[in-house]
Amino acid sequence: MEYLLKSGDVAGLKTACLVVGVYERGELSQPAADLDQASGGALGNFLKRGDFQGRAEQAQFLYDLPNTACDRLLLVGLGPRKALNLNAYRKAVAKATVMLDNSHALEAITTLPLIEIDNNSLYTRLRDTVTISEASLYRFEQCKSNVDKRVRPLKKLALHIGQQRRTKVLENAILHGRSIATGVTLARNLGNLPGNICTPAYLAEQARAIGRKSRQLKVQVLEEKQMQELGMGALLSVSRGSRQPAKLIVMEYRGSAENAKPVVLVGKGLTFDAGGISIKPAAGMDEMKYDMCGGASVLGAMAACVEMALPINLVGVIPSSENLPDGDANKPGDIVTSMSGQTIEVLNTDAEGRLILCDALTYSERFTPAAIIDIATLTGACVIALGAHASGLLGNDDKLVEELLTAGRESGDRAWQLPLWEDYQSQLDSNFADMANVGGRSAGTVTAACFLSRFTKKMKWAHLDIAGTAWKTGLEKGSTGRPVPLLVQFLLNRCGLGG
Ligand code: BES
Ligand code: MN
Ligand code: ZN
């Protein structure tokens, strides 16, 4: 869809549909009040009938409003004025977009970004409007043979900015919103694709495709033979049980000076996790196709970065493999040697994410990162701790952790910190190797991060556990594209462009 900025007087806006917000109990937002005045009180009279009360999630078309230039009006409920936060705003935007898409209108103008909310800027509201509109129109239909053709879908949405002039910051809001949406959509598509299509080789091809879009981005895919030469015994021990060869995808984006240290993103790209010999129960195992969502979020963030041509150096590293039971698979008790030289006793073959990540983290030392962030659907324990609302966040650098928490709040893609105290480390003690790959039932998310921390001592590092946030289960089963918004916000903030 196309998005643009529009300024001018609301009553004079010529469009197939004008979107205005109304608070609960019919209280008018400023643009709605302007329309009411222009129409000689007609809008207020309609609201007095009581059919539309401005409740959140309510929306209604209205026709033939006197003295206005629009063909129709879409009233969108904002809920109580006092309770309107960015979250409620996003819901109103999503509702409006779906209503518009199902209407006869091909284009529309929305005044929702003009509604002021505590602690955020017009930039944020404009950007969010674009990202949320795109997300609310998302459908995954690649694997369906019969798809309903949409009748007159929405093609163009203009965002009204009142009487203000367009500025670079406001234009950027649209570009940034669209780029985040590109990244989110890519991550969602890759997540939703089944394991037989989205294999390590498929992910590698997606990375190459992004590389072809920008001369600033160099993509390299390491094969198992090269991983062998590098001594990646942990990563290779996981892929040995699979017929799909593992890939180590390395993407280097240069938007800043050659000697500027890069941000490195490392994403778990496990394209299907059956658990290996420590096999998972059958129920819900299909959802382990989503075990590559960390990798997909790195591809998404990279695609967004390329689209915005951000002035930053960024490296994406995606270790990609399957985890299956096989005669050649890891067995409980096997001891493998990681690229770092540290040995690992594989007590549970289902704790495979940390095995592929640890070698990717060691490999990443060569980039001398300004900061390194890994993103992984790493532990079921994180779903128990935080549910679907916050990603788990742990790290060895307080400033980096704080930056990520802030980026999460600003982008509506929140994370919550868990402790990475030394006290937990002993849970990984092994009688036979340098460490075990599991730390028992208690604090599973923390001990997984403790494991990774042993491979990131030389770097400013943070870890995002997205096991609960990367996809939804149940009736709404599907990928969310998280934490692409958080990651992109983090990068924008580092560039001083985050609003
Ligand atoms: N990919 C899973 C984590 C996971 C499980 C994410 C369920 C989302 C929902 C990971 O590879 C795994 O299996 N982790 C084990 C670790 C355990 C063996 C220490 C887990 O969480 O059960
Ligand atoms: Mn597993
Ligand atoms: Zn896994």
Side-chain angles (χ1 to χ4, degrees):
M1 191 155 60
E2 189 190 334
Y3 298 90
L4 50 112
L5 298 174
K6 186 95 188 169
S7 35
D9 177 37
V10 264
L13 294 173
K14 273 205 183 57
T15 173
C17 186
L18 185 62
V19 182
V20 295
V22 177
Y23 300 105
E24 199 155 282
R25 286 196 259 123
E27 192 189 337
L28 301 176
S29 66
Q30 191 56 54
D34 292 347
L35 277 179
D36 183 51
Q37 197 176 28
S39 66
L43 184 53
N45 286 339
F46 166 78
L47 290 169
K48 272 191 204 121
R49 312 255 176 100
D51 297 331
F52 180 86
Q53 304 94 9
R55 277 184 281 113
E57 315 274 324
Q58 235 185 348
Q60 167 139 11
F61 286 109
L62 201 62
Y63 306 89
D64 303 320
L65 199 70
N67 303 321
T68 56
C70 57
D71 294 346
R72 52 171 97 52
L73 209 59
L74 176 60
L75 303 179
V76 182
L78 300 172
R81 188 197 271 266
K82 283 209 189 90
L84 187 69
N85 54 22
L86 211 49
N87 227 348
Y89 175 79
R90 290 188 174 111
K91 286 192 181 141
V93 168
K95 177 78 190 175
T97 309
V98 171
M99 292 285 285
L100 288 170
D101 196 49
N102 290 331
S103 79
H104 201 72
L106 293 172
E107 53 72 39
I109 301 178
T110 177
T111 66
L112 293 179
L114 285 173
I115 290 162
E116 290 188 15
I117 311 165
D118 282 349
N119 301 322
N120 72 77
S121 59
L122 180 57
Y123 163 88
T124 305
R125 291 182 318 262
L126 289 170
R127 196 186 82 183
D128 262 25
T129 305
V130 176
T131 326
I132 299 298
S133 293
E134 287 295 298
S136 59
L137 297 179
Y138 176 83
R139 282 180 176 75
F140 183 74
E141 298 173 326
Q142 285 180 51
C143 301
K144 294 209 191 250
S145 54
N146 255 324
V147 177
D148 285 344
K149 255 257 159 276
R150 317 196 46 69
V151 233
R152 296 178 69 85
L154 187 64
K155 293 218 170 97
K156 191 161 120 183
L157 185 63
L159 315 184
H160 191 227
I161 53 172
Q163 307 294 350
Q164 309 186 45
R165 283 195 300 134
R166 285 178 228 173
T167 61
K168 184 77 192 153
V169 171
L170 301 185
E171 293 287 358
N172 268 347
I174 303 230
L175 170 66
H176 296 173
R178 205 188 300 115
S179 304
I180 294 169
T182 300
V184 167
T185 303
L186 174 65
R188 289 175 84 175
N189 282 339
L190 292 172
N192 287 331
L193 279 171
N196 63 328
I197 295 176
C198 185
T199 57
Y202 186 91
L203 282 183
E205 182 43 39
Q206 296 303 304
R208 288 199 189 93
I210 301 168
R212 286 194 285 273
K213 287 191 188 145
S214 167
R215 292 180 55 192
Q216 291 166 286
L217 179 60
K218 197 181 94 205
V219 177
Q220 199 192 346
V221 178
L222 304 196
E223 303 295 334
E224 289 188 345
K225 187 162 167 290
Q226 291 157 287
M227 295 185 233
Q228 193 88 57
E229 283 157 12
L230 287 161
M232 297 185 164
L235 197 168
L236 288 169
S237 78
V238 174
S239 90
R240 235 185 22 244
S242 150
R243 302 191 187 181
Q244 294 289 338
K247 308 278 173 185
L248 184 69
I249 303 164
V250 183
M251 310 171 81
E252 288 173 75
Y253 170 82
R254 234 198 68 195
S256 176
E258 192 155 5
N259 58 0
K261 289 181 179 170
V263 167
V264 179
L265 302 178
V266 179
K268 173 178 176 184
L270 215 291
T271 59
F272 190 80
D273 181 12
I277 298 299
S278 316
I279 196 163
K280 288 182 181 294
M285 206 208 267
D286 64 290
E287 293 187 12
M288 280 300 112
K289 71 176 181 179
Y290 290 114
D291 212 15
M292 34 53 70
C293 283
S297 76
V298 173
L299 290 170
M302 191 60 86
C305 182
V306 163
E307 196 167 313
M308 296 180 284
L310 283 189
I312 194 171
N313 291 342
L314 178 66
V315 178
V317 178
I318 305 171
S320 185
S321 170
E322 295 180 323
N323 185 28
L324 296 174
D326 178 88
D328 205 22
N330 268 331
K331 301 174 293 297
D334 282 2
I335 294 176
V336 301
T337 304
S338 66
M339 182 180 174
S340 73
Q342 299 176 92
T343 58
I344 304 160
E345 186 185 12
V346 183
L347 286 175
N348 188 320
T349 68
D350 199 8
E352 85 298 337
R354 57 199 82 182
L355 295 176
I356 68 171
L357 286 167
C358 71
D359 282 342
L361 288 166
T362 302
Y363 179 82
S364 301
E365 280 179 4
R366 69 184 55 206
F367 301 112
T368 52
I372 183 163
I373 304 156
D374 78 75
I375 307 105
T377 47
L378 205 61
T379 62
C382 195
V383 191
I384 304 300
L386 299 174
H389 302 295
S391 303
L393 173 60
L394 305 99
N396 64 10
D397 185 86
D398 289 341
K399 214 176 134 269
L400 178 60
V401 166
E402 205 50 56
E403 252 182 289
L404 288 163
L405 288 171
T406 302
R409 275 193 302 270
E410 290 172 344
S411 60
D413 180 7
R414 285 183 295 183
W416 193 258
Q417 188 180 11
L418 298 172
L420 189 69
W421 297 329
E422 194 57 36
D423 312 55
Y424 294 96
Q425 289 284 354
S426 61
Q427 285 181 238
L428 295 173
D429 286 351
S430 159
N431 285 351
F432 306 106
D434 297 342
M435 69 192 89
N437 76 329
V438 293
R441 269 173 53 78
S442 62
T445 305
V446 177
T447 54
C450 283
F451 181 94
L452 298 176
S453 76
R454 297 172 179 220
F455 301 84
T456 54
K457 291 212 169 93
K458 297 177 193 154
M459 304 177 279
K460 289 183 179 171
W461 159 78
H463 160 66
L464 282 163
D465 194 328
I466 58 167
T469 51
W471 75 94
K472 291 182 181 172
T473 51
L475 280 178
E476 283 188 289
K477 193 193 283 184
S479 182
T480 61
R482 292 178 70 181
V484 171
L486 180 157
L487 294 172
V488 176
Q489 183 74 53
F490 169 83
L491 296 170
L492 283 169
N493 289 351
R494 284 230 157 181
C495 297
L497 294 168

